[in-house]
Amino acid sequence: MKVLIADDERLARAELRRLLTAFPEVEVVGEATHVDETCERVEALAPDLLLLDIQMPGGTGFDVLDRLEAPPDVVFTTAHDAHALRAFQVNALDYLLKPIESARLAEALERVRQRGRVQRAAGEPVTPLERVFVRDGERCWLVTLSQVPLFSSEGNYARLHLPDAEPLLARSLNHLEERLDPVRFFRASRQHLINLDFVEALEPGPGGTLIARLRGGREVEMSRRQSQRFRERLSP
């Protein structure tokens, strides 16, 4: 399990490193001391888990998550309990109050294991999610996900854009992305995930981005980073 520690206090980072030595499966791949550096290290090191302080130079831990297109699993580490509700609203796996106890850290690491991210990274097979139960007003039904052209993020929910309905699913877009077939679905940006079976054309967009035109006329602009990833995916 690759872990990145983000905290502006040197002693706090050192204490987390010391506690993590008790877990041989954990590798601390780096540290960060402010918001910009944290975002850069996440992009460069691709950790499985981000141990993230809330108050840091340049903003907050929530600003970090807002800027990341595909954040890793997150456990907040802070001296204040005032932000606990918001932390879980952004899908943090745990919220550890300083001084952090080894037993609480062990619980947080177990939550990461249960999420299955590390097992997937190791190549263990995961059955893609094929159908979900949705509700739109009084109507309830099962949706076959291969028939959904586009998903968009609405906080902790994902909206399914179907030809005849746009129901909300009580799962975040990040959670949904982890369960979908990566051959068929592609994360176009922090806000959108597209079904490649429905892409009719790709057009150049501003600043080196790509615009995916879907059947039915909807257009989705990929972020610059994801546009580059998509180009690499198409390269022989």
PDB file of all heavy atoms in Angstrom, residues 131-135 139-143 160 168-170:
ATOM      1  N   ARG A 131     -25.134  -3.688 -13.501  1.00  0.00           N
ATOM      2  CA  ARG A 131     -26.451  -3.064 -13.367  1.00  0.00           C
ATOM      3  C   ARG A 131     -26.565  -2.378 -12.013  1.00  0.00           C
ATOM      4  O   ARG A 131     -25.930  -2.795 -11.041  1.00  0.00           O
ATOM      5  CB  ARG A 131     -27.566  -4.110 -13.511  1.00  0.00           C
ATOM      6  CG  ARG A 131     -27.633  -4.772 -14.869  1.00  0.00           C
ATOM      7  CD  ARG A 131     -28.932  -5.545 -15.062  1.00  0.00           C
ATOM      8  NE  ARG A 131     -29.103  -6.594 -14.064  1.00  0.00           N
ATOM      9  CZ  ARG A 131     -30.221  -7.304 -13.903  1.00  0.00           C
ATOM     10  NH1 ARG A 131     -31.265  -7.057 -14.685  1.00  0.00           N
ATOM     11  NH2 ARG A 131     -30.302  -8.237 -12.993  1.00  0.00           N
ATOM     12  N   VAL A 132     -27.366  -1.319 -11.962  1.00  0.00           N
ATOM     13  CA  VAL A 132     -27.623  -0.622 -10.707  1.00  0.00           C
ATOM     14  C   VAL A 132     -29.113  -0.340 -10.584  1.00  0.00           C
ATOM     15  O   VAL A 132     -29.831  -0.222 -11.578  1.00  0.00           O
ATOM     16  CB  VAL A 132     -26.841   0.708 -10.615  1.00  0.00           C
ATOM     17  CG1 VAL A 132     -25.343   0.455 -10.528  1.00  0.00           C
ATOM     18  CG2 VAL A 132     -27.180   1.631 -11.775  1.00  0.00           C
ATOM     19  N   PHE A 133     -29.570  -0.232  -9.352  1.00  0.00           N
ATOM     20  CA  PHE A 133     -30.955   0.105  -9.064  1.00  0.00           C
ATOM     21  C   PHE A 133     -31.040   1.613  -8.872  1.00  0.00           C
ATOM     22  O   PHE A 133     -30.287   2.203  -8.092  1.00  0.00           O
ATOM     23  CB  PHE A 133     -31.409  -0.617  -7.796  1.00  0.00           C
ATOM     24  CG  PHE A 133     -32.823  -0.321  -7.402  1.00  0.00           C
ATOM     25  CD1 PHE A 133     -33.871  -0.996  -7.993  1.00  0.00           C
ATOM     26  CD2 PHE A 133     -33.099   0.634  -6.444  1.00  0.00           C
ATOM     27  CE1 PHE A 133     -35.174  -0.738  -7.630  1.00  0.00           C
ATOM     28  CE2 PHE A 133     -34.402   0.906  -6.066  1.00  0.00           C
ATOM     29  CZ  PHE A 133     -35.448   0.218  -6.669  1.00  0.00           C
ATOM     30  N   VAL A 134     -31.953   2.274  -9.600  1.00  0.00           N
ATOM     31  CA  VAL A 134     -32.089   3.717  -9.508  1.00  0.00           C
ATOM     32  C   VAL A 134     -33.545   4.091  -9.241  1.00  0.00           C
ATOM     33  O   VAL A 134     -34.461   3.315  -9.474  1.00  0.00           O
ATOM     34  CB  VAL A 134     -31.603   4.425 -10.794  1.00  0.00           C
ATOM     35  CG1 VAL A 134     -30.133   4.160 -11.046  1.00  0.00           C
ATOM     36  CG2 VAL A 134     -32.445   4.014 -11.995  1.00  0.00           C
ATOM     37  N   ARG A 135     -33.718   5.303  -8.745  1.00  0.00           N
ATOM     38  CA  ARG A 135     -35.045   5.838  -8.489  1.00  0.00           C
ATOM     39  C   ARG A 135     -35.119   7.242  -9.096  1.00  0.00           C
ATOM     40  O   ARG A 135     -34.199   8.042  -8.940  1.00  0.00           O
ATOM     41  CB  ARG A 135     -35.316   5.909  -6.993  1.00  0.00           C
ATOM     42  CG  ARG A 135     -36.704   6.446  -6.626  1.00  0.00           C
ATOM     43  CD  ARG A 135     -36.784   6.727  -5.132  1.00  0.00           C
ATOM     44  NE  ARG A 135     -36.537   5.533  -4.358  1.00  0.00           N
ATOM     45  CZ  ARG A 135     -37.482   4.659  -3.989  1.00  0.00           C
ATOM     46  NH1 ARG A 135     -38.733   4.883  -4.362  1.00  0.00           N
ATOM     47  NH2 ARG A 135     -37.176   3.598  -3.279  1.00  0.00           N
ATOM     48  N   ARG A 139     -40.664   6.404  -9.940  1.00  0.00           N
ATOM     49  CA  ARG A 139     -40.244   5.303 -10.807  1.00  0.00           C
ATOM     50  C   ARG A 139     -38.954   4.676 -10.272  1.00  0.00           C
ATOM     51  O   ARG A 139     -37.996   5.378  -9.952  1.00  0.00           O
ATOM     52  CB  ARG A 139     -40.017   5.811 -12.226  1.00  0.00           C
ATOM     53  CG  ARG A 139     -39.579   4.736 -13.215  1.00  0.00           C
ATOM     54  CD  ARG A 139     -39.206   5.342 -14.554  1.00  0.00           C
ATOM     55  NE  ARG A 139     -38.711   4.353 -15.493  1.00  0.00           N
ATOM     56  CZ  ARG A 139     -38.055   4.641 -16.613  1.00  0.00           C
ATOM     57  NH1 ARG A 139     -37.854   5.905 -16.941  1.00  0.00           N
ATOM     58  NH2 ARG A 139     -37.630   3.684 -17.411  1.00  0.00           N
ATOM     59  N   CYS A 140     -38.917   3.360 -10.162  1.00  0.00           N
ATOM     60  CA  CYS A 140     -37.740   2.606  -9.736  1.00  0.00           C
ATOM     61  C   CYS A 140     -37.460   1.512 -10.762  1.00  0.00           C
ATOM     62  O   CYS A 140     -38.394   0.824 -11.198  1.00  0.00           O
ATOM     63  CB  CYS A 140     -37.955   1.978  -8.367  1.00  0.00           C
ATOM     64  SG  CYS A 140     -38.369   3.140  -7.060  1.00  0.00           S
ATOM     65  N   TRP A 141     -36.194   1.346 -11.127  1.00  0.00           N
ATOM     66  CA  TRP A 141     -35.880   0.303 -12.101  1.00  0.00           C
ATOM     67  C   TRP A 141     -34.391  -0.001 -12.095  1.00  0.00           C
ATOM     68  O   TRP A 141     -33.577   0.716 -11.510  1.00  0.00           O
ATOM     69  CB  TRP A 141     -36.353   0.708 -13.492  1.00  0.00           C
ATOM     70  CG  TRP A 141     -35.563   1.768 -14.223  1.00  0.00           C
ATOM     71  CD1 TRP A 141     -34.698   1.584 -15.251  1.00  0.00           C
ATOM     72  CD2 TRP A 141     -35.598   3.198 -14.000  1.00  0.00           C
ATOM     73  NE1 TRP A 141     -34.200   2.782 -15.686  1.00  0.00           N
ATOM     74  CE2 TRP A 141     -34.741   3.785 -14.945  1.00  0.00           C
ATOM     75  CE3 TRP A 141     -36.277   4.024 -13.105  1.00  0.00           C
ATOM     76  CZ2 TRP A 141     -34.527   5.160 -15.021  1.00  0.00           C
ATOM     77  CZ3 TRP A 141     -36.070   5.395 -13.162  1.00  0.00           C
ATOM     78  CH2 TRP A 141     -35.210   5.953 -14.103  1.00  0.00           C
ATOM     79  N   LEU A 142     -34.041  -1.120 -12.738  1.00  0.00           N
ATOM     80  CA  LEU A 142     -32.642  -1.532 -12.897  1.00  0.00           C
ATOM     81  C   LEU A 142     -32.114  -0.980 -14.210  1.00  0.00           C
ATOM     82  O   LEU A 142     -32.750  -1.114 -15.247  1.00  0.00           O
ATOM     83  CB  LEU A 142     -32.523  -3.057 -12.883  1.00  0.00           C
ATOM     84  CG  LEU A 142     -32.517  -3.738 -11.517  1.00  0.00           C
ATOM     85  CD1 LEU A 142     -32.594  -5.245 -11.693  1.00  0.00           C
ATOM     86  CD2 LEU A 142     -31.255  -3.377 -10.734  1.00  0.00           C
ATOM     87  N   VAL A 143     -30.930  -0.370 -14.155  1.00  0.00           N
ATOM     88  CA  VAL A 143     -30.296   0.173 -15.348  1.00  0.00           C
ATOM     89  C   VAL A 143     -29.083  -0.677 -15.699  1.00  0.00           C
ATOM     90  O   VAL A 143     -28.221  -0.941 -14.854  1.00  0.00           O
ATOM     91  CB  VAL A 143     -29.856   1.632 -15.122  1.00  0.00           C
ATOM     92  CG1 VAL A 143     -29.032   2.132 -16.305  1.00  0.00           C
ATOM     93  CG2 VAL A 143     -31.069   2.526 -14.910  1.00  0.00           C
ATOM     94  N   LEU A 160     -26.971   9.637 -14.000  1.00  0.00           N
ATOM     95  CA  LEU A 160     -26.931   8.809 -15.184  1.00  0.00           C
ATOM     96  C   LEU A 160     -27.713   9.513 -16.283  1.00  0.00           C
ATOM     97  O   LEU A 160     -28.900   9.802 -16.119  1.00  0.00           O
ATOM     98  CB  LEU A 160     -27.543   7.429 -14.919  1.00  0.00           C
ATOM     99  CG  LEU A 160     -26.711   6.403 -14.144  1.00  0.00           C
ATOM    100  CD1 LEU A 160     -26.322   6.888 -12.769  1.00  0.00           C
ATOM    101  CD2 LEU A 160     -27.469   5.076 -14.051  1.00  0.00           C
ATOM    102  N   LEU A 168     -30.513   9.976 -10.386  1.00  0.00           N
ATOM    103  CA  LEU A 168     -29.338  10.069  -9.534  1.00  0.00           C
ATOM    104  C   LEU A 168     -29.063   8.714  -8.894  1.00  0.00           C
ATOM    105  O   LEU A 168     -29.985   7.996  -8.496  1.00  0.00           O
ATOM    106  CB  LEU A 168     -29.538  11.116  -8.438  1.00  0.00           C
ATOM    107  CG  LEU A 168     -29.295  12.576  -8.797  1.00  0.00           C
ATOM    108  CD1 LEU A 168     -29.679  13.464  -7.616  1.00  0.00           C
ATOM    109  CD2 LEU A 168     -27.841  12.826  -9.193  1.00  0.00           C
ATOM    110  N   LEU A 169     -27.777   8.389  -8.796  1.00  0.00           N
ATOM    111  CA  LEU A 169     -27.341   7.177  -8.111  1.00  0.00           C
ATOM    112  C   LEU A 169     -26.619   7.598  -6.838  1.00  0.00           C
ATOM    113  O   LEU A 169     -25.767   8.486  -6.861  1.00  0.00           O
ATOM    114  CB  LEU A 169     -26.405   6.368  -9.018  1.00  0.00           C
ATOM    115  CG  LEU A 169     -25.852   5.059  -8.453  1.00  0.00           C
ATOM    116  CD1 LEU A 169     -26.971   4.047  -8.277  1.00  0.00           C
ATOM    117  CD2 LEU A 169     -24.777   4.495  -9.391  1.00  0.00           C
ATOM    118  N   ALA A 170     -26.961   6.970  -5.713  1.00  0.00           N
ATOM    119  CA  ALA A 170     -26.378   7.344  -4.421  1.00  0.00           C
ATOM    120  C   ALA A 170     -24.972   6.768  -4.265  1.00  0.00           C
ATOM    121  O   ALA A 170     -24.648   6.071  -3.297  1.00  0.00           O
ATOM    122  CB  ALA A 170     -27.281   6.878  -3.291  1.00  0.00           C
TER     123      ALA A 170
END
